[in-house]
Amino acid sequence: MTKLTTQAIYPGTFDPITNGHFELIKRSARLFDRVIVAVAESPSKNTMFDLQERVDMVTEVIKGLDNVTAIGFSGLLVDFAKQQKTDILIRGLRTTIDYEYEFGLTSMYKKLMPELESVFLTPTEEFAFLSSTIVREVAIHGGDVTQFLHPYVVGKVKAKV
């Protein structure tokens, strides 16, 4: 596969980062010279972890991927993209509900930053159902989340609950 000579942003709250997120990050790292995992502050969401904790978890999980970095941000994603001089977004699509949501976001991004392109990746079947929300719920109710998270993240989630 030929790598595109550019960089891309993979944005999200990553609360916490799951193996599904990591799979998309690894695939993105093969496609682009540089991938920025943009960890959104998302003050409107009731996150389990604060921004710095989420950036730290992503940083630990992506160790070994030399062309991937994690950066926390607040505010509009398009402003962050401009700041990073990046015009490609990576987004994951699991379901038709994700598609409808992402279609609306992409339309808004195009109004705010016409040169911004979105690249949609679908997860492998193994991770098609996986979301941070589901993982948090399982953990809060005492379930085993080890198969869904990097071992470092498992420790952080267990410490929180």
Side-chain angles (χ1 to χ4, degrees):
M1 177 176 287
T2 304
K3 184 186 291 190
L4 302 174
T5 54
T6 191
Q7 69 177 2
I9 293 175
Y10 179 35
T13 51
F14 305 103
D15 187 42
I17 183 171
T18 67
N19 290 340
H21 291 131
F22 184 57
E23 186 231 353
L24 292 183
I25 292 167
K26 287 189 298 187
R27 289 169 52 202
S28 298
R30 290 193 322 257
L31 294 171
F32 300 98
D33 289 325
R34 181 168 183 238
V35 175
I36 300 167
V37 180
V39 183
E41 186 173 32
S42 297
S44 62
K45 291 187 177 181
N46 186 20
T47 58
M48 177 181 275
F49 297 95
D50 68 30
L51 179 60
Q52 191 56 55
E53 289 172 315
R54 290 181 281 128
V55 170
D56 291 346
M57 284 188 287
V58 172
T59 300
E60 181 64 29
V61 170
I62 63 173
K63 279 186 178 174
L65 297 176
D66 296 337
N67 63 331
V68 181
T69 56
I71 302 174
F73 79 98
S74 60
L76 291 176
L77 178 58
V78 292
D79 292 337
F80 181 75
K82 289 174 186 175
Q83 176 190 24
Q84 296 299 315
K85 296 178 177 39
T86 302
D87 60 2
I88 298 175
L89 292 181
I90 299 161
R91 300 297 292 166
L93 292 178
R94 293 169 303 192
T95 65
T96 56
I97 294 168
D98 285 350
Y99 173 79
E100 289 179 16
Y101 177 74
E102 292 297 335
F103 184 81
L105 280 180
T106 300
S107 297
M108 179 59 72
Y109 296 151
K110 281 290 192 190
K111 294 286 186 191
L112 298 172
M113 186 179 170
E115 66 274 20
L116 191 63
E117 294 293 341
S118 295
V119 174
F120 298 102
L121 298 177
T122 57
T124 59
E125 186 177 333
E126 177 184 6
F127 300 119
F129 70 94
L130 190 57
S131 73
S132 296
T133 302
I134 291 172
V135 169
R136 285 193 314 270
E137 284 296 313
V138 170
I140 288 167
H141 291 88
D144 181 12
V145 295
T146 56
Q147 64 184 320
F148 310 123
L149 305 171
H150 182 280
Y152 178 81
V153 178
V154 169
K156 295 295 183 181
V157 169
K158 286 182 178 181
K160 277 284 183 188
V161 296

